[in-house]
Structure formats: structure tokens, C-alpha cells
Amino acid sequence: MRKQLLTVVALVLMGMTTLFTSCSTKMHAVNQLERFSYELRDHSANYSVREWEEAAERFVEIRKEISKHELDYTPEQKARIGELEGKCAGYMAKGMKQGFFDKVTGVAREIKGILKGLLNAITE
């Protein structure tokens, strides 16, 4: 009886740990996106080509992490993610308009595709 009780308690604790870890991980990705949007807002006007390349790579990595938890987000969280992605896309588009992305290869093409997909998804 005692062994069964300990087993049940252990399973409950493991489940709670998994739940909290999953929630923490999915919100960590959203928090990263939010911090990234602030960074772009405050510093992207002075980015070099190398800094734009790094920003593009970072955006892609954050999006990959968010997409891992796509089904776990509430509608409100998804709306917040969309808003933050829109801000990031706006700052990146502004950088593109200024010609920084014309010099960037590889990752820039992927970001342009992401931005195009985001804009299409928003307008559909």
C-alpha cells in the first residue's frame, strides 16, 4: 500500500514538473521574441550588415522555438506572438527599405520569405 502511494505521488510530481517546464519553455520563447522586438526597436537603426545577419538568424531561431509549442498557446498568447512578430517584421522591413538586407545573403532570403509569409497570413 505504501509503495503504491509513493508511486502515485512520484507520478503526480513528475507530471507537475513536466507541466511547469513545458509552460516555462513555451513562455521563454515568447519572452525572447518580446526582448528581440525591443532590441530591434532601440538599436536596429544603426545595425551593420553583420548585425542584420545575426538578427535574422536570431529571429529564425526564436520562430523555430515558438513553432515547437504552437498547439500549446492560448488564443491570447497567439495574438501576442502575432503582434510581436509584426513589430519585428516591421523593423526588419524598415531595415530592408534602407538597403541593409540587399547586402546580406543566405539568411536574408529566408527572412524575406518569412516576412512575405507573415504578411500573406495576416492579409488572408
Side-chain angles (χ1 to χ4, degrees):
M1 173 80 170
R2 184 176 178 158
K3 186 175 180 179
Q4 291 173 337
L5 180 61
L6 288 175
T7 302
V8 169
V9 169
L11 289 173
V12 168
L13 289 175
M14 285 181 2
M16 289 175 63
T17 301
T18 301
L19 176 67
F20 290 131
T21 302
S22 175
C23 184
S24 173
T25 302
K26 77 175 185 178
M27 291 313 297
H28 178 71
V30 176
N31 292 337
Q32 281 184 315
L33 182 61
E34 185 169 33
R35 284 190 301 273
F36 183 62
S37 73
Y38 295 150
E39 182 180 317
L40 288 175
R41 178 194 68 197
D42 296 341
H43 303 290
S44 65
N46 300 315
Y47 275 9
S48 67
V49 171
R50 191 180 118 268
E51 289 170 316
W52 274 117
E53 289 173 338
E54 291 169 0
E57 290 172 8
R58 186 168 167 204
F59 183 73
V60 169
E61 289 305 312
I62 292 170
R63 275 299 310 141
K64 285 180 184 177
E65 190 62 33
I66 287 173
S67 68
K68 289 178 186 176
H69 305 284
E70 196 76 32
L71 300 175
D72 299 328
Y73 294 116
T74 66
E76 294 80 16
Q77 290 169 328
K78 288 180 180 182
R80 180 69 179 141
I81 291 167
E83 179 184 348
L84 292 169
E85 287 175 339
K87 286 181 180 183
C88 291
Y91 296 127
M92 292 176 148
K94 188 175 181 181
M96 288 169 51
K97 180 180 175 188
Q98 295 170 353
F100 290 114
F101 275 107
D102 294 340
K103 299 175 186 175
V104 178
T105 61
V107 176
R109 288 188 198 102
E110 184 175 350
I111 291 298
K112 287 179 184 179
I114 289 171
L115 292 174
K116 183 178 178 182
L118 284 172
L119 294 174
N120 287 340
I122 290 170
T123 58
E124 289 179 353

